[in-house]
Amino acid sequence: MKRLSIIIIISLLLVSCQQNNESSEQVDEMAQALKPFESGSPNNPSEYLGTWSTYSGEGTSYKQIQLFEEEGQYQIQYDLIDHDGRILKSILGPLEGLEDGMGAFDYDSDRYGNNGTLEVHLEQEGIQFNNRVDGTNVEEVFFEQKISR
């Protein structure tokens, strides 16, 4: 019986070590997938479509935005991700006016817990992103890395 207990404990330790190694490999894949944005034209929003991230390494929280087109309408998804890779907050909606290099999505408290506006300003070097919560609190982030798959 004692021998069986030792075998079970060793098996659990091996599984745990393997899961930690797999997690580390996934983080490495994320770091490898991020590429600096070369240069874009704010008048051509299609160059900015895709996923942008502030990821800087394992064990740090980060932000991501994804710009995509669906049925002729530009969309934005904003995610706040913790150091373990869990999504803490996600906002998704239509991005109005992106054709002019600037777009916005107004979100409300019924769906997201508070009112606010996601603003996107396309720049040659990347995307200036602002999250205006309740009209006063402003979170500013510059996205200069895009995920390349």
Side-chain angles (χ1 to χ4, degrees):
M1 187 69 174
K2 186 175 182 180
R3 197 178 280 169
L4 181 59
S5 297
I6 292 173
I7 291 173
I8 291 173
I9 291 171
I10 290 173
S11 296
L12 290 173
L13 287 172
L14 287 173
V15 168
S16 175
C17 289
Q18 183 179 9
Q19 288 175 343
N20 287 340
N21 190 27
E22 288 173 2
S23 176
S24 176
E25 288 174 11
Q26 290 173 351
V27 170
D28 291 341
E29 289 176 12
M30 175 69 159
Q32 290 175 359
L34 283 173
K35 304 293 181 211
F37 188 63
E38 297 296 323
S39 179
S41 171
N43 296 327
N44 188 3
S46 63
E47 293 178 8
Y48 296 84
L49 298 181
T51 304
W52 298 73
S53 181
T54 62
Y55 178 82
S56 62
E58 183 178 351
T60 61
S61 60
Y62 58 99
K63 298 168 178 69
Q64 274 187 188
I65 58 171
Q66 181 181 19
L67 301 179
F68 58 98
E69 194 172 355
E70 187 174 276
E71 298 178 8
Q73 170 74 47
Y74 289 109
Q75 304 281 325
I76 185 168
Q77 179 168 344
Y78 165 69
D79 296 319
L80 177 59
I81 303 169
D82 77 2
H83 62 279
D84 289 326
R86 291 183 299 248
I87 297 176
L88 301 175
K89 184 171 192 165
S90 187
I91 299 174
L92 171 69
L95 198 55
E96 302 294 332
L98 193 60
E99 298 82 10
D100 302 327
M102 293 174 45
F105 167 60
D106 292 323
Y107 58 93
D108 62 29
S109 60
D110 292 341
R111 186 167 179 189
Y112 296 107
N114 50 16
N115 296 318
T117 302
L118 301 181
E119 299 175 345
V120 171
H121 303 270
L122 305 180
E123 298 183 7
Q124 274 191 313
E125 302 81 26
I127 297 176
Q128 177 64 46
F129 171 82
N130 300 321
N131 181 12
R132 297 186 186 280
V133 181
D134 295 325
T136 57
N137 191 10
V138 179
E139 171 189 20
E140 296 181 5
V141 179
F142 189 75
F143 288 92
E144 57 189 358
Q145 297 181 99
K146 193 173 179 186
I147 294 177
S148 170
R149 297 178 195 226

